[in-house]
Amino acid sequence: MQTSSTAGTLLRRVLPDPEKPGRVLALMSGVERAESLDGLAEALRKAVRAVPLGRGRDLLHGRWLGHPVHPVLVEVPVGAWISAAVLDTVPGGGRAAGLLVGVGLAGAVPAAVAGLVDWAELERPQARVGLLHATLNVSAVACYTASFAARLTGHGLRGRAYALVGLCTMGAAAAVGGHLAYRQAAGANHAESVPHLVPPGWHSVGPLEDFPHEQPVRRMVGEVAVAVVRDGDGSCRALADVCSHDGGPLSQGHVEDGCLLCPWHGSSFRLADGWNATGPATAPQPAFDTRVDDGRLYVRLRTPPPVRH
Ligand code: FES
């Protein structure tokens, strides 16, 4: 009886109180609000954006994949380093573990580059948390580099110790990355809910004369905002207003070469079908059919969602 009550007390101390945010969440909220990180973040962001990557930038964002490529690339170092940790506990496994530590280090490079390119296009609270994520990852890489060097010079025990610290640091970095992706929705498709929210059928968005040429206008369809653009030839196009990249208002952007450009980070969406012609957006924009009836413009969500052709 005494034992179970002691265990219960211990559990209550270890597990977060369901009625409170918990220390981890409080810490992450503090990082989100840490304006002192903005100077460093801005300087780094400028440096990353200045690298002349050309079309490689969209490749690294994962536009070709339809979602960020960074979480895919991190599988290599994470898998290699966890496997190395297991092998380090097996007699005679040190050599193979050392090889995996090296594989992880090589795999960390493209993962870090893709992550940096994504990070440079985030809003400030996300960028602050991203800085912490990157710092922890750099620390993990430093530990594994030390581990690799120690193993190469015959200091196997020291190599294992460095790897263990690296593994714990990588775990912390992964938790922060989870906060960034799931709590702050960095990298998520912010227009995903649009097809579920737009009522079926045609909806009037106002008299045609209310839509100036080549100038986006925001209209509501039920609870969904739509950016409407009247082409130079008089035909009308409509896309969901909330940018799939990070929720920017497309109706405050501008039209260029048949695309609507987001005012926040410059993603361009083809007006004809919502295709994300350039990133950082990795998901297309929900598009609407349009028709004019009795001088009024009507829109209807186009299904199925736009695909590349
Ligand atoms: S919100 Fe980032 S490009 Fe639109």
Side-chain angles (χ1 to χ4, degrees), residues 26 51 61 83 93 127 144 154 168 177 183 196 235 239 250-251 267 275:
V51 178
H61 280 310
S83 304
Y144 276 106
C168 296
R183 176 83 177 193
H196 311 297
S235 58
L239 302 178
L250 291 189
S251 54
S267 290
W275 177 250

Side-chain angles (χ1 to χ4, degrees), residues 251-305:
S251 54
Q252 291 176 29
H254 66 279
V255 178
E256 202 175 288
D257 294 334
C259 291
L260 184 51
L261 270 65
C262 179
W264 283 11
H265 313 105
S267 290
S268 64
F269 300 96
R270 207 157 53 194
L271 279 164
D273 58 6
W275 177 250
N276 46 322
T278 62
T282 54
Q285 204 62 12
F288 291 73
D289 293 321
T290 61
R291 73 177 166 87
V292 177
D293 195 1
D294 203 18
R296 295 188 72 80
L297 178 64
Y298 291 79
V299 301
R300 178 183 65 181
L301 183 70
R302 188 177 305 164
T303 52

Side-chain angles (χ1 to χ4, degrees), residues 7 34 52 63 67 72 158 165 188 217 259 302:
R63 198 172 69 87
H67 60 78
V72 180
R158 198 184 302 166
V165 178
V217 174
C259 291
R302 188 177 305 164

